[in-house]
Amino acid sequence: MKISCEILLIIFVCCLIRSVSSVKCGFSEELASIGQTFDLADSKITIVGFEASVTYASLPAGYTPFLTVLAASEEPTFSSAEGTLTISAGGSCETLGGAFPLEDSFDEEPAAGDKSGPLEERKEYEDIQASGAFQLKPRSTMILSTFVSSCFVPRPFRGILLAASLLACISSVNGDEEVPAAGCKPSLELQISLPMGAEVASSFGETDHFLEATLDTVTWGYYDPNATAKVTMESGETVTVEVITHHSGHDYAKMIRGDPNVEEIFYWEMNQTLLDKPEPKLPGSGVHLITGPIEVVGAQVGDVVQVDILELDPRYNPVTGRCFGTNSQKFAGYQFRADGGTKRDGTPYVRTGGTEAITVFEFLEDEDGTMLYGKPVYMYRFPNMTAPDGSERTFDNNPAVMVPHEYDQGYDGDLLSEDPIEYPPGFDDTVVTDEGGILYLSPDPAGLNWKVPLRPHLGVLGVMPNNTINYIDEDAPGGANSIPPSRFGGNVDDWRIGKGGTMYYTVEVPGAMIVVGDTHAAQGDSELAGTAMETSMTAKLRVTLHKKDELPAMVQGLNFPLLETSTEFVIHGFAYNNYLDQVEDPSNVFAEGASLDLAMEDCFIKTRNWLMDTYGLIEEETIALMATAVDFGVTQVVDGNWGVHADIDKWVFDESDTPYDYSCTTSKSGRRGRGRKLMSGSSRRRVLEDHDILLSPDQYADSLYDRVTSQCTSCETHWNRRHLADALLNAKIKFVQRRM
């Protein structure tokens, strides 16, 4: 949302009027309550009779939230009843309004990993009346509603509306507005300390900052080191960030139409070059729409920023009320490398329209917002086209191009011949040159009778690199391509970087300058075909700054993007950890970085070093641990700088006796001290008697199997049931026979 000069002017004038028309009392330094603290096991507080200001501070994760009285002009009284802490002034003042809501919930136990650190201010309300559930007075309400309403009024009329609001605001000072009681209203200053692990409310309107995706806040395809911050935030604050998928042009009707900001970004008139578009795309740059950057106050080179992913919400199309995404089988996909670059029928994959298939998915949720799955809606082959600038588009190399479907494909893959798509100017200048038009693969021969598990995540998240100038490109000097990931993060494309995850990055430029983009609804490890289920989403993030002289062991010397979830740490390795310095011409990384050997070696070294530094292991035990308890996987083989990740389960270092969740074994039975002792003579005889007399072999096998798998809920239809039971039976008989 853009804030125009007239809006800033009206806010400034009204704040000035407020400052000269109000009276405040001085604070006292002799009151007994100053410095007093109260545990906030309750979820609300109520202020009675005071004009209060509240400052938030951060606690290490898992700590109990508490309130501290910083200053007051008269002695407050405190009472607690029915889950509410009430703070009252003397006299017969009325409650300012409602109960002040804290964060929705708090961690009951400290989160794994060391996230402690000094208390850091999160945000401050100058007047508690302008926050939470407190009621706004008439003038404040009018200013707020005018501000919101003006955003939906055509620009030529905004000044008139705001001027009228200003006159009304001025008149209210001498008219209807309440004035302070005789003397002055008592003042109160509080600090509420909250754990960093506390969850925030799910509504996006309740974050400290909001970063809308507009022409002014997104960059297409590169990291711009000269970009000014679009949001500036303090450590511990939260921000809502809109991300638009660069694949929206695959289906205008479902992913662009009716969404004003997306329409502005993708607008492309006839004869305009990519550089002349409203949202320019530099030649040689990448494909992603990057939102940001976000500046973190006080962040300096060598510090570490912690980014908690609190929410990921689909962006619903305002016309259909539904959310869609696409998968493109791009030429960057592994299928172009495997089997000599040929399809199963022996025909080659070629970089012209016809072999790059596009699948359009719908992101499905139930009425309660619970994710269900990704449903494939229809499939087509990317056609050969002429773009608005007259260039030939023979493969899906430029997401700015609009695929000109003639008819809406509906929601079940069937052609809606009665619903032709009407493209407005700026979206109607792309022409398919293939004879017969676009080739659709569904509903025949592709039945699309399958579904995809949803794993919403951020494909691109990171800090601004300090060496983008090394990305050599005559047409795009100084801005690194958004496709290859590196030590600063960026396009890591790990589906684990989703809600509930925490990313750690070492700051490379002052302010950190965090960037966000490339949201996915689903993806498998390797991102095999070149893309995931690309979709637009809105992310809610909390950013915490850790100063370099106070870093916990787990992020000291951090030179890669580290992911922490509730159950694991994930180390990310790349063919080149710092390709912008390591590759002579970084634009050649797409050829030089296509190596799983290099990526595996890089991930191995990082994992070994991180385990030794974080947990104080010697190298020999580290290698033993990695060989037996760490899972290495292929993150992606499509982003030029290929990636391998290492999953380290936190359970490995848990000092309790909590059992691991093994599947289909006896470990869940809780039996301890299972020895490998020889049977006594009487035991051997009982085994033979049970087998030969009491039970038939089949009955014995069934009984034995049931005992072995009694605690396993997933083994009822195990295909190996009979083989397992027979093997156990035969082993026992042979064991007894050898000792008779």
Side-chain angles (χ1 to χ4, degrees):
M1 183 180 295
K2 301 176 184 177
I3 301 180
S4 62
C5 294
E6 57 261 37
I7 293 176
L8 294 174
L9 176 62
I10 189 68
I11 293 174
F12 171 78
V13 173
C14 290
C15 290
L16 179 62
I17 293 169
R18 181 178 180 88
S19 68
V20 300
S21 63
S22 62
V23 181
K24 292 190 176 181
C25 298
F27 291 120
S28 171
E29 298 180 357
E30 300 177 354
L31 301 181
S33 61
I34 294 178
Q36 191 171 355
T37 62
F38 298 87
D39 286 345
L40 293 176
D42 304 311
S43 63
K44 297 179 181 178
I45 63 172
T46 297
I47 312 295
V48 179
F50 282 108
E51 182 173 335
S53 63
V54 177
T55 298
Y56 284 99
S58 294
L59 289 172
Y63 280 59
T64 302
F66 63 88
L67 175 147
T68 305
V69 179
L70 299 181
S73 61
E74 70 173 50
E75 189 71 59
T77 59
F78 305 89
S79 62
S80 181
E82 298 181 355
T84 299
L85 174 67
T86 301
I87 307 176
S88 306
S92 58
C93 300
E94 297 181 356
T95 304
L96 290 182
F100 185 77
L102 303 180
E103 310 288 3
D104 282 353
S105 61
F106 308 95
D107 292 345
E108 296 179 357
E109 298 179 359
D114 184 4
K115 298 182 181 179
S116 60
L119 298 182
E120 298 169 341
E121 288 191 359
R122 301 182 71 238
K123 57 184 178 182
E124 182 174 350
Y125 292 104
E126 298 232 343
D127 186 340
I128 202 169
Q129 297 177 56
S131 66
F134 281 85
Q135 299 170 352
L136 295 171
K137 293 185 178 181
R139 183 180 63 194
S140 302
T141 304
M142 179 181 63
I143 296 171
L144 178 61
S145 62
T146 302
F147 173 83
V148 174
S149 300
S150 66
C151 299
F152 301 95
V153 174
R155 185 176 295 275
F157 301 100
R158 290 182 186 173
I160 299 174
L161 176 61
L162 292 168
S165 172
L166 175 60
L167 292 175
C169 180
I170 295 173
S171 65
S172 70
V173 174
N174 300 317
D176 299 332
E177 179 72 333
E178 292 181 359
V179 296
C184 66
K185 182 178 293 185
S187 300
L188 179 68
E189 186 176 326
L190 305 173
Q191 178 174 279
I192 296 175
S193 300
L194 298 170
M196 284 189 281
E199 296 181 4
V200 297
S202 59
S203 169
F204 286 130
E206 297 181 13
T207 54
D208 300 300
H209 304 277
F210 177 65
L211 180 53
E212 188 178 20
T214 68
L215 290 176
D216 296 329
T217 62
V218 301
T219 303
W220 205 322
Y222 65 102
Y223 305 117
D224 185 359
N226 300 313
T228 58
K230 310 308 177 185
V231 161
T232 299
M233 61 189 300
E234 299 280 349
S235 173
E237 289 187 331
T238 55
V239 59
T240 296
V241 185
E242 290 185 341
V243 178
I244 307 302
T245 178
H246 50 292
H247 283 284
S248 299
H250 286 162
D251 192 318
Y252 165 82
K254 292 179 174 57
M255 303 176 70
I256 297 179
R257 180 172 56 181
D259 196 327
N261 288 1
V262 184
E263 288 181 343
E264 285 187 341
I265 291 170
F266 278 86
Y267 185 86
W268 192 3
E269 284 187 347
M270 178 70 81
N271 299 323
Q272 278 186 324
T273 67
L274 286 169
L275 286 171
D276 294 332
K277 289 172 67 272
E279 180 51 49
K281 188 175 183 304
L282 302 180
S285 61
V287 295
H288 309 100
L289 285 165
I290 305 297
T291 307
I294 300 168
E295 180 182 11
V296 183
V297 175
Q300 297 296 326
V301 176
D303 295 343
V304 170
V305 287
Q306 167 187 331
V307 184
D308 299 316
I309 305 171
L310 305 175
E311 298 283 350
L312 276 174
D313 203 42
R315 186 183 183 97
Y316 292 95
N317 181 275
V319 175
T320 64
R322 304 165 92 157
C323 182
F324 295 89
T326 73
N327 171 260
S328 174
Q329 297 176 20
K330 294 173 67 67
F331 68 88
Y334 193 77
Q335 68 274 13
F336 274 78
R337 299 175 179 271
D339 200 16
T342 61
K343 303 170 69 174
R344 181 177 177 177
D345 62 8
T347 59
Y349 284 103
V350 293
R351 295 187 179 184
T352 59
T355 60
E356 291 184 323
I358 310 294
T359 307
V360 178
F361 293 88
E362 183 172 4
F363 184 116
L364 292 180
E365 294 181 324
D366 62 18
E367 294 180 356
D368 297 327
T370 301
M371 293 183 297
L372 297 176
Y373 51 84
K375 175 188 176 184
V377 178
Y378 73 99
M379 179 181 286
Y380 65 94
R381 294 197 186 280
F382 191 84
N384 292 290
M385 297 185 295
T386 301
D389 62 358
S391 61
E392 296 300 319
R393 302 297 174 184
T394 61
F395 56 97
D396 190 18
N397 67 325
N398 188 350
V401 175
M402 198 68 46
V403 178
H405 299 282
E406 186 175 356
Y407 294 96
D408 192 344
Q409 295 297 308
Y411 305 111
D412 55 5
D414 290 332
L415 181 68
L416 299 183
S417 58
E418 301 301 322
D419 189 13
I421 299 175
E422 296 183 5
Y423 293 92
F427 296 92
D428 58 354
D429 299 325
T430 304
V431 179
V432 173
T433 57
D434 289 334
E435 184 177 352
I438 300 172
L439 176 61
Y440 294 95
L441 302 176
S442 61
D444 183 36
L448 303 182
N449 297 318
W450 41 275
K451 54 185 179 290
V452 175
L454 293 174
R455 295 167 169 171
H457 61 281
L458 295 167
V460 170
L461 179 64
V463 295
M464 187 70 68
N466 64 4
N467 51 357
T468 58
I469 194 66
N470 293 346
Y471 195 87
I472 301 171
D473 191 297
E474 294 179 358
D475 298 309
N481 190 305
S482 67
I483 296 176
S486 194
R487 66 183 183 189
F488 59 85
N491 189 35
V492 174
D493 279 335
D494 184 349
W495 62 262
R496 298 157 187 82
I497 306 176
K499 178 179 177 179
T502 297
M503 292 298 298
Y504 298 90
Y505 306 94
T506 295
V507 175
E508 298 197 11
V509 300
M513 307 301 275
I514 297 170
V515 293
V516 189
D518 193 29
T519 43
H520 300 159
Q523 180 196 302
D525 279 334
S526 82
E527 199 178 14
L528 186 70
T531 69
M533 189 187 296
E534 314 282 337
T535 191
S536 298
M537 304 189 79
T538 302
K540 177 188 289 184
L541 310 173
R542 178 189 287 116
V543 179
T544 305
L545 177 64
H546 299 277
K547 300 301 292 181
K548 61 183 176 181
D549 55 350
E550 301 173 345
L551 295 178
M554 60 178 279
V555 292
Q556 289 181 5
L558 186 69
N559 67 338
F560 59 88
L562 172 66
L563 169 64
E564 179 183 7
T565 72
S566 60
T567 59
E568 63 185 0
F569 291 104
V570 182
I571 311 294
H572 292 101
F574 310 104
Y576 292 96
N577 185 53
N578 180 22
Y579 84 95
L580 288 168
D581 285 338
Q582 292 173 298
V583 179
E584 182 177 356
D585 179 354
S587 63
N588 289 334
V589 70
F590 295 94
E592 297 184 34
S595 170
L596 283 178
D597 288 341
L598 292 176
M600 179 65 198
E601 181 180 8
D602 182 60
C603 192
F604 164 80
I605 294 171
K606 290 174 178 174
T607 304
R608 178 197 63 189
N609 295 349
W610 187 83
L611 285 169
M612 293 178 68
D613 294 341
T614 302
Y615 293 101
L617 308 179
I618 65 172
E619 184 155 356
E620 287 79 2
E621 66 177 323
T622 302
I623 300 303
L625 171 62
M626 291 169 61
T628 56
V630 176
D631 291 323
F632 288 85
V634 178
T635 318
Q636 50 78 23
V637 288
V638 298
D639 293 336
N641 197 15
W642 287 9
V644 167
H645 59 267
D647 293 340
I648 304 170
D649 201 308
K650 292 179 178 179
W651 177 89
V652 171
F653 297 100
D654 185 353
E655 295 182 0
S656 71
D657 288 331
T658 303
Y660 193 79
D661 186 17
Y662 294 99
S663 177
C664 298
T665 74
T666 58
S667 63
K668 285 190 175 182
S669 65
R671 294 178 57 192
R672 299 188 181 278
R674 293 188 296 273
R676 297 294 183 264
K677 298 179 181 179
L678 295 177
M679 286 184 179
S680 65
S682 60
S683 296
R684 291 198 296 269
R685 284 192 296 272
R686 280 198 300 271
V687 170
L688 289 177
E689 289 171 357
D690 289 344
H691 173 259
D692 295 334
I693 301 172
L694 301 179
L695 293 174
S696 69
D698 283 347
Q699 289 174 321
Y700 183 87
D702 290 341
S703 175
L704 182 59
Y705 178 84
D706 290 340
R707 290 200 301 274
V708 170
T709 62
S710 61
Q711 301 298 318
C712 182
T713 59
S714 61
C715 294
E716 293 180 358
T717 58
H718 198 290
W719 70 273
N720 209 25
R721 183 181 193 278
R722 177 62 57 189
H723 295 289
L724 173 61
D726 287 345
L728 290 170
L729 173 61
N730 292 335
K732 276 203 169 186
I733 293 175
K734 290 179 180 179
F735 176 83
V736 174
Q737 288 175 338
R738 284 196 300 268
R739 288 163 177 79
M740 286 299 291

